[in-house]
Amino acid sequence: MQILLTYDVETVTPQGRKRLRQVAKVCTDYGQRVQNSVFELNVDPATLVTIKSKLHGIIDPKKDSIRIYNLGKNWERRVETMGLDGSYNPESDLLML
Amino acid sequence: MQILLTYDVETVTPQGRKRLRQVAKVCTDYGQRVQNSVFELNVDPATLVTIKSKLHGIIDPKKDSIRIYNLGKNWERRVETMGLDGSYNPESDLLML
């Protein structure tokens, strides 16, 4: 299944920045980063359960937000890009603290 | 049609921050902000063309990225949230420069 995962993690506090790094690590382990906080994942349902379990253990549900979209079949036809396309490099982005 | 629009806009330069504000303004005019740089839009195809045209006129395609996902039918069943849900407040988020 093709999944789109987006996140907002509070980065005001050191704890928040740690959570951000941990969330990004989980997403990087399982998917393709396409924007700073947007990942595309091609995973089976069991793996998605594992990912969600890991993220549940990391985030602060009162401060952070994760959204998971099941893109369904024919997902390639559902995606359109403008500007940079999938060439996101966190090393060059100041938003990655 | 239900659209998910995500963006990364370079914010290192004043010009980039201006583009970020302009992109956010267009998205806010047409959709519901669900995360810092993630919007859900329920628009007809003609309106989507208008939105894309406006965004084309704002972004720097060598520095910025916009991704548009057509969530298709039954999109409510495709969305799952963890933590904060749709209560994003840009006033309280330091990433909105």
Side-chain angles (χ1 to χ4, degrees), chain A residues 44-54:
Chain A
D44 58 60
T47 304
L48 183 58
V49 170
T50 300
I51 293 169
K52 287 194 285 188
S53 174
K54 288 185 178 184

Side-chain angles (χ1 to χ4, degrees), chain A residues 2-33:
Chain A
Q2 186 73 7
I3 298 296
L4 185 75
L5 190 153
T6 69
Y7 59 72
D8 263 353
V9 176
E10 170 268 311
T11 56
V12 177
T13 65
Q15 293 84 352
R17 291 192 285 274
K18 182 180 179 182
R19 293 197 306 277
L20 177 67
R21 287 193 297 272
Q22 291 174 326
V23 168
K25 174 69 165 59
V26 170
C27 295
T28 306
D29 285 347
Y30 290 96
Q32 172 67 36
R33 184 173 233 150

Side-chain angles (χ1 to χ4, degrees), chain A residues 4 6-8 12 34-36 38 40 52 55-56 59 61-72 78-86 88 94-95, chain B residues 4 6-8 12 34-36 38 40 52 55-56 59 61-72 78-86 88 94-95:
Chain A
L4 185 75
T6 69
Y7 59 72
D8 263 353
V12 177
V34 292
Q35 286 182 350
N36 181 41
V38 180
E40 291 178 0
K52 287 194 285 188
L55 294 175
H56 264 300
I59 68 166
K62 294 182 180 173
K63 297 180 179 177
D64 308 329
S65 162
I66 290 176
R67 299 180 76 85
I68 297 171
Y69 298 84
N70 184 346
L71 295 181
R78 298 180 185 277
V79 189
E80 191 173 349
T81 62
M82 296 168 55
L84 298 177
D85 180 12
Y88 178 80
L94 291 185
L95 286 178
Chain B
L4 184 75
T6 69
Y7 59 73
D8 262 354
V12 177
V34 293
Q35 285 181 349
N36 181 42
V38 179
E40 292 178 0
K52 288 194 286 188
L55 295 175
H56 264 300
I59 68 166
K62 294 183 180 175
K63 296 180 179 176
D64 308 328
S65 162
I66 289 175
R67 298 180 77 85
I68 296 171
Y69 298 84
N70 184 346
L71 296 181
R78 299 180 186 275
V79 189
E80 192 173 348
T81 62
M82 296 168 56
L84 297 177
D85 180 12
Y88 179 80
L94 292 186
L95 288 177

